[in-house]
Amino acid sequence: MNKYVLLLLISGIWGSQFFFIALVIENVGVITLSAIKACIGGICLLFFGLFLSKEERKVPRGYFKWYIIIAFFEVVLPFVFIAQGQKSVPSSIAAVLIGMVPIFTILFLLAFFKRKSTRPQITSILFGFAGIVFLSWPTQGIQDLSNSIQGNILMILAAMSFGLSLIFMEKLNEGSSVIHMRNVLLIASVLLIPMSLLFEQSFKLDIARSQSIYLAILGIFHAGVVYALFNRLIRQEGALFTSYSNYIVPVIGVILGFFFLHEALSIHQLIGMGIIMMSLVFLDEKMIIKLKRK
């Protein structure tokens, strides 16, 4: 599959998660929601794994330590942070703050992993960040920032956790993406389910039938399917390229927030979304060379 098609597909799936979270978060505890997503996602990939060959289902030696680390930084921490943070942050702004993942990814790569980056990559990140600021500022002025500062901090911490886990996922460069992410999600479930029972008494969960459907969608698509695609793109293009999905996620979040949650959409947001999409041009150095020639 073309890398840009895969990038847009991942972004589209993840961008819609904030819409579905907003529909269930009032009736489902933060940890419980995270546990349900991880559990359903893991079961979904467990089912998909049944159709793989015996060779594809093998787990390379030494991978289980990475499964545990990734489960913690990619699922447990950010799932809880996002669900808790969105209680005080609009879905569109939540998507914007999570869109900072590429910034943290390249900072971690440069500071802790001694990875070099190209000028187009840095340009794209700065350009995309400018788009994020432009996109978020009109709907979140000084007053709103002070009112939901805890929620904003939680979203930023989730973005940092995602950025770190992206780099760790590069370690899973052998075997099946379905099997890798199945194991990650099931390990995360083992951690989250006892926490939800202990702190939120999730066995007393009382939700409407429609909310059950939304939870199933969150688990199947926003945990199971998308993580298999995510790991595949990381193996194909690396952590930094894959992190750019988070620049497209805010665009999806704002659009869905406008159409379905009746959140405001201003000219500044439209310009911001345009800047973010333009930042993707710098991802492809071949495209830049062609533009220079013209």
Side-chain angles (χ1 to χ4, degrees):
M1 186 182 293
N2 180 275
K3 62 181 181 180
Y4 289 106
V5 173
L6 195 53
L7 184 70
L8 289 172
L9 181 59
I10 291 169
S11 303
I13 295 173
W14 256 328
S16 65
Q17 76 169 320
F18 301 99
F19 166 71
F20 288 103
I21 289 175
L23 296 175
V24 300
I25 195 62
E26 294 300 323
N27 300 97
V28 182
V30 172
I31 303 174
T32 301
L33 174 59
S34 305
I36 291 173
K37 285 177 63 180
C39 186
I40 293 177
I43 293 172
C44 173
L45 294 184
L46 182 66
F47 175 75
F48 290 158
L50 298 176
F51 298 94
L52 299 177
S53 66
K54 186 177 180 180
E55 187 65 26
E56 290 176 311
R57 290 199 297 268
K58 286 184 179 179
V59 175
R61 182 176 297 180
Y63 271 30
F64 274 99
K65 67 178 180 181
W66 293 116
Y67 292 155
I68 295 171
I69 293 171
I70 294 168
F72 185 73
F73 285 102
E74 177 68 23
V75 183
V76 177
L77 278 184
F79 275 26
V80 173
F81 286 160
I82 289 172
Q84 179 66 33
Q86 200 174 339
K87 286 188 173 182
S88 59
V89 178
S91 65
S92 58
I93 301 305
V96 168
L97 294 174
I98 294 300
M100 296 177 68
V101 170
I103 298 170
F104 291 120
T105 301
I106 197 168
L107 287 176
F108 290 147
L109 285 171
L110 293 172
F112 303 114
F113 297 89
K114 308 303 179 183
R115 191 83 60 83
K116 293 182 179 180
S117 59
T118 65
R119 185 176 296 178
Q121 288 174 336
I122 295 175
T123 302
S124 180
I125 286 175
L126 294 176
F127 207 60
F129 181 69
I132 287 177
V133 172
F134 219 102
L135 180 65
S136 63
W137 186 257
T139 59
Q140 191 152 331
I142 298 297
Q143 184 66 36
D144 291 331
L145 280 170
S146 62
N147 289 341
S148 58
I149 188 168
Q150 182 181 359
N152 291 321
I153 290 173
L154 288 173
M155 289 295 173
I156 292 171
L157 289 175
M160 294 176 68
S161 187
F162 278 138
L164 195 57
S165 69
L166 270 167
I167 300 170
F168 292 141
M169 275 195 210
E170 289 187 336
K171 304 293 184 181
L172 308 179
N173 54 9
E174 298 179 17
S176 168
S177 296
V178 170
I179 299 302
H180 294 330
M181 300 318 298
R182 175 202 68 185
N183 294 340
V184 167
L185 289 170
L186 291 178
I187 289 172
S189 300
V190 171
L191 297 173
L192 287 167
I193 290 175
M195 291 171 59
S196 70
L197 292 171
L198 179 63
F199 296 109
E200 297 179 345
Q201 297 184 323
S202 56
F203 53 86
K204 296 181 179 180
L205 191 64
D206 183 20
I207 57 175
R209 181 178 298 179
S210 60
Q211 290 179 313
S212 299
I213 296 173
Y214 301 146
L215 288 172
I217 291 172
L218 282 167
I220 293 171
F221 293 100
H222 301 98
V225 172
V226 77
Y227 271 124
L229 296 174
F230 199 58
N231 182 248
R232 176 178 172 178
L233 185 58
I234 290 172
R235 292 167 63 177
Q236 181 179 320
E237 301 296 334
L240 189 57
F241 179 88
T242 306
S243 72
Y244 282 82
S245 62
N246 293 275
Y247 275 161
I248 307 173
V249 164
V251 176
I252 304 296
V254 169
I255 292 172
L256 290 177
F258 172 74
F259 281 109
F260 297 102
L261 300 179
H262 308 294
E263 295 177 350
L265 180 61
S266 68
I267 186 64
H268 292 278
Q269 288 178 305
L270 292 173
I271 295 173
M273 288 190 286
I275 294 174
I276 289 170
M277 298 309 293
M278 281 294 294
S279 72
L280 299 178
V281 173
F282 296 99
L283 284 177
D284 196 327
E285 293 188 40
K286 292 181 180 179
M287 187 182 297
I288 294 173
I289 293 173
K290 288 180 180 180
L291 290 172
K292 286 183 177 180
R293 287 175 179 173
K294 291 181 179 180

